[in-house]
Amino acid sequence: MPNYTFDAPTQPFLPVAGSELRYPVRRIFCVGRNYADHVAEMGGSTERDAPIYFTKSPHGLLQSGEDMPYPPGTQDLHHEIELVVAIGAEARAIDRTAALQAVWGYGVGLDMTRRDLQGVAKKGGQPWDTAKDFDGSAIIGALTPAERFQLTEEKIHLSVNDETRQDSPLAAMIWSVPEIVANLSTLYTLRPGDLIMTGTPAGVGPVNVGDRLVGKVDRLEPVTTRIV
Ligand code: MN
């Protein structure tokens, strides 16, 4: 064993649906503004020539079913339900037509957001890190291998306390999964363990202590959490 100054952090991972295997998580990329109706509710513009990205530390990852402690530093914690793409092969500047070959599987995730801090950051032209990357800010369900799930006409859905808050066809994404993987691979060498949260549809809003969130995509494992 290497002689580290303290115990090395444990490897973040996600369970795999119907398997004892664990998917080790390396990086978490997120796509911003990827559904026109959500861009509209946030008052933004969809006119752009490439997706926009931010990242979350994998060490802030929660698994589905875990409680999410309401984070410090915010009065306006928001939910964003998203399709998650799990990379399974090295990909560097790959073509859109080859992009799905780098995809290992899919999951459903919550991109939890300190919306008040994001508003301040946007206004000041500052980075989004404290708004988007904090303890518990990514909550992701068990992954389903791509051989058992092809994207067709699925819907993505989120309820809070059994009331629907977000509900959209995945086909409404501005940038498709192959387009995102191909574009991101021109900026980073993607490697197995890299996750991509692909953006959220309209209906984002605040959550409070005691709320129970259930996010679903047809034929994938759900993501659930309770705010505590
Ligand atoms: Mn998001």
Side-chain angles (χ1 to χ4, degrees):
M1 289 288 285
N3 208 12
Y4 292 124
T5 53
F6 50 85
D7 290 344
T10 53
Q11 170 65 53
F13 70 93
L14 288 171
V16 174
S19 167
E20 295 296 305
L21 288 173
R22 295 174 167 191
Y23 177 95
V25 177
R26 182 167 179 264
R27 293 183 289 191
I28 304 175
F29 297 99
C30 305
V31 180
R33 302 173 182 155
N34 202 28
Y35 289 77
D37 56 359
H38 172 62
V39 176
E41 75 178 350
M42 299 300 291
S45 163
T46 56
E47 288 173 35
R48 59 179 55 82
D49 51 17
I52 62 163
Y53 302 105
F54 55 92
T55 60
K56 291 178 187 266
S57 167
H59 294 284
L61 177 66
L62 293 178
Q63 295 186 3
S64 178
E66 290 191 284
D67 290 344
M68 182 198 182
Y70 197 98
T74 184
Q75 313 295 326
D76 197 23
L77 177 67
H78 274 212
H79 57 76
E80 296 190 0
I81 190 68
E82 315 206 349
L83 175 72
V84 179
V85 174
I87 297 296
E90 186 172 304
R92 183 198 229 161
I94 55 171
D95 192 78
R96 184 160 50 94
T97 56
L100 289 184
Q101 293 168 25
V103 174
W104 183 89
Y106 298 91
V108 186
L110 283 159
D111 164 16
M112 301 303 290
T113 301
R114 287 165 165 152
R115 193 69 73 200
D116 42 2
L117 298 195
Q118 188 189 30
V120 170
K122 281 181 176 174
K123 202 178 250 177
Q126 296 158 359
W128 287 11
D129 299 54
T130 61
K132 286 294 196 178
D133 182 7
F134 51 90
D135 295 329
S137 68
I139 310 162
I140 302 179
L143 300 177
T144 297
E147 62 256 28
R148 303 211 310 261
F149 178 84
Q150 276 85 46
L151 278 171
T152 51
E153 297 186 347
E154 289 76 14
K155 294 189 78 179
I156 188 164
H157 182 273
L158 178 80
S159 67
V160 178
N161 304 328
D162 297 320
E163 186 180 299
T164 295
R165 293 280 187 89
Q166 296 185 266
D167 189 22
S168 170
L170 289 173
M173 286 196 286
I174 294 168
W175 300 97
S176 69
V177 170
E179 287 171 333
I180 292 165
V181 172
N183 181 264
L184 193 59
S185 81
T186 68
L187 298 166
Y188 301 86
T189 299
L190 299 177
R191 295 217 161 81
D194 289 341
L195 299 176
I196 309 170
M197 305 188 76
T198 58
T200 199
V204 301
V207 293
N208 296 298
V209 170
D211 285 349
R212 180 168 174 73
L213 284 63
V214 178
K216 293 179 176 172
V217 168
D218 307 336
R219 299 186 296 116
L220 292 179
E221 296 295 309
V223 60
T224 68
T225 193
R226 194 168 46 114
I227 312 297
V228 298

